[in-house]
Amino acid sequence: MKKEELLSRITVDPKILVGKPTIRGLRISVEQIIKALANNVSAKELLEEYPELEPEDIQAVLLYAAELISEERVFQLK
């Protein structure tokens, strides 16, 4: 799946979870998935726990996070 297709799975709607980035408009936030993965919940477990998720959704979450981080700049203050 192409980068643009993956990123299109991440949606922002002020009416859903107060505008937090979610997966395909579901009430599953990008933050939830990243925190779960960081706490050793496997992708397989996430897919079992949230049957509406697809493997590409997890891939999209990771790509979305990587894109945000790649734009981050750190400047030294004097």
Side-chain angles (χ1 to χ4, degrees), residues 14-30:
K15 296 175 188 167
I16 301 173
L17 296 181
V18 196
K20 285 187 173 199
T22 62
I23 299 166
R24 294 183 288 117
L26 301 170
R27 299 188 71 75
I28 303 170
S29 71
V30 168

Side-chain angles (χ1 to χ4, degrees), residues 4 8 13 20 26-27 45 50 53 61 76:
E4 296 80 24
S8 72
D13 182 340
K20 285 187 173 199
L26 301 170
R27 299 188 71 75
E45 290 172 298
Y50 300 100
L53 280 183
V61 164
Q76 184 177 15

Side-chain angles (χ1 to χ4, degrees), residues 66-76:
E67 289 291 312
L68 285 178
I69 292 169
S70 72
E71 294 176 10
E72 186 176 290
R73 301 290 178 257
V74 178
F75 300 97
Q76 184 177 15

Side-chain angles (χ1 to χ4, degrees), residues 11-73:
T11 58
V12 176
D13 182 340
K15 296 175 188 167
I16 301 173
L17 296 181
V18 196
K20 285 187 173 199
T22 62
I23 299 166
R24 294 183 288 117
L26 301 170
R27 299 188 71 75
I28 303 170
S29 71
V30 168
E31 178 184 5
Q32 264 180 281
I33 300 302
I34 290 174
K35 283 184 176 180
L37 292 169
N39 284 300
N40 292 317
V41 176
S42 71
K44 181 181 177 191
E45 290 172 298
L46 285 170
L47 293 170
E48 290 171 359
E49 188 172 334
Y50 300 100
E52 59 271 45
L53 280 183
E54 299 170 359
E56 294 83 5
D57 295 327
I58 295 171
Q59 199 178 357
V61 164
L62 295 173
L63 179 59
Y64 179 80
E67 289 291 312
L68 285 178
I69 292 169
S70 72
E71 294 176 10
E72 186 176 290
R73 301 290 178 257

